[in-house]
Structure formats: C-alpha cells, structure tokens
Amino acid sequence: MGRLTIQTSIYSFSLKSNSSDSVSLSLPTKLFIPFRTPFPPTSSMAPIAVGDVVPDGSISFFDENDQLQTVSVHSLAAGKKVILFGVPGAFTPTCSMKHVPGFIEKAEELKSKGVDEIICFSVNDPFVMKAWGKTYPENKHVKFVADGSGEYTKLLGLELDLKDKGLGVRSRRFALLIDNLKVTVANVESGGEFTVSSADDILKAL
C-alpha cells in the first residue's frame, strides 16, 4: 500500500493506493476556503453634487427653426449661469402641472438674477420633448431637451428605476444651478417627489 500526501496553502489531502490498479481519495469532512479579495459591489455613479464640474455629454432638442440639434452640455453651459432641471417624464402630472410651469412663470425673475439658460431635461426622445414644449405657448425662456437613451442621466448619477411602472429607467427629479460648468446648487429629490427642486427653491439660492 502506498500513500501520497499533498499539502496546499488552503488544505491537505491524501491519496491511498491499495493495489496497482485502485486509488482512493481522502478529503477533509469540512473545507473552509478563505477569499482574500471579495467580489466588488455593483453600484451606480455617485449623484452629482455641489462643487462638481458638470460632466460633458450629448443632449438633443429642436431649435427655434424647428431643426433637430445634438450638442454637448459643455457647449451650452461654458461661461454661463445655467439652470438644468430634470423630470421623470414628459406629460406626467407633477412635471406638467407643477414643475415645468413654475420655471416658465419665474423665468424672467430668474434671468434678472443672472441666469442665462433654463433647461428642462428628461429621458425622452426629442420629438416628445418638442411636443411637450408646445403645450406651453406662454413659454419664452425654458429649453426642452432630451436624453433619449439616458446616457447623460447616468453620467449625472441620477437614474430612477421605474421599470415596475412600465417606464424603464428615467431621471430623478432635480434642479441644478451651474456656474461656468461648476455645480453651485444641487437640489435632488427622493424618487419622483417634488419638495426641493422648484423654481422658487432655486430663486432662494440665487
């Protein structure tokens, strides 16, 4: 009979040979294998915050000549004071009846305090955003822009999972004040709530 013992950094085991034709394997009854490095957690990008430089990325909108434009956020915001406010969806009740009308009504006052651009942002296609914007004939200053695939929303770290409601992944409700690409106010709602991201909330911060 022969015995071969194998030692590893984790455990040892033995091979016994009763004859030239048979080999038995003996393993410990309990085996604990230490993992030196845990699997990395999966997490989304941290939400945009005060002091951050707003990330660059592409957004789309129809201009005053009804031409579709796709531009970088930095090209719209560099050297300017910009309000970027996001909504979970075009034509949805809170967005349509409260959030957007507030910025349209307060636009002149906001601009008198040095705001150059007021941008309404949503994970919708630009045709939907164009149609939504046309429901506000009194609007003169709010630009309706689209993040069709949600890529820019991901860069902001402001995704909102609404798949259980059949809406896919949208944007959280928020309002950012951006001064020459730097975020000076970041009012981000929990889910689709509407408590801190109104035009009045931004006015208080100006």
Side-chain angles (χ1 to χ4, degrees):
M1 178 185 292
R3 178 189 293 271
L4 173 64
T5 300
I6 300 175
Q7 180 76 39
T8 75
S9 60
I10 298 175
Y11 59 89
S12 64
F13 59 90
S14 298
L15 293 171
K16 287 184 181 179
S17 176
N18 295 319
S19 69
S20 62
D21 297 324
S22 64
V23 176
S24 64
L25 176 64
S26 175
L27 291 171
T29 57
K30 291 184 179 180
L31 178 63
F32 299 95
I33 302 177
F35 287 93
R36 298 176 185 272
T37 305
F39 291 106
T42 56
S43 61
S44 60
M45 189 174 294
I48 192 83
V50 171
D52 292 345
V53 172
V54 71
D56 202 7
S58 296
I59 54 176
S60 300
F61 61 93
F62 280 89
D63 63 19
E64 59 275 6
N65 297 316
D66 205 30
Q67 298 299 306
L68 180 60
Q69 304 290 338
T70 298
V71 301
S72 74
V73 171
H74 279 197
S75 72
L76 287 180
K80 299 177 182 178
K81 186 174 288 187
V82 174
I83 294 169
L84 176 67
F85 71 97
V87 298
F91 293 103
T92 53
T94 301
C95 308
S96 296
M97 294 185 288
K98 295 181 180 180
H99 206 176
V100 169
F103 278 97
I104 291 175
E105 291 167 9
K106 302 287 184 178
E108 293 287 353
E109 190 174 352
L110 290 163
K111 293 182 77 67
S112 74
K113 291 182 177 291
V115 172
D116 297 296
E117 292 269 8
I118 304 171
I119 299 172
C120 176
F121 170 93
S122 183
V123 180
N124 286 107
D125 68 71
F127 295 91
V128 168
M129 295 301 285
K130 171 188 171 182
W132 192 29
K134 286 186 174 180
T135 65
Y136 302 98
E138 73 279 17
N139 177 40
K140 296 179 181 178
H141 302 294
V142 176
K143 186 189 301 290
F144 287 75
V145 307
D147 179 24
S149 62
E151 292 300 318
Y152 193 69
T153 299
K154 292 178 185 177
L155 291 178
L156 293 173
L158 296 177
E159 306 100 312
L160 178 63
D161 189 344
L162 295 176
K163 291 194 289 288
D164 61 332
K165 294 179 173 59
L167 298 174
V169 177
R170 298 298 186 100
S171 167
R172 291 167 68 178
R173 191 182 306 282
F174 67 87
L176 304 179
L177 182 61
I178 303 164
D179 193 351
N180 192 25
L181 304 181
K182 188 173 182 179
V183 178
T184 58
V185 176
N187 293 349
V188 180
E189 304 281 2
S190 175
E193 293 180 4
F194 184 48
T195 58
V196 299
S197 60
S198 69
D200 285 329
D201 291 312
I202 295 296
L203 277 168
K204 292 173 187 176
L206 286 169

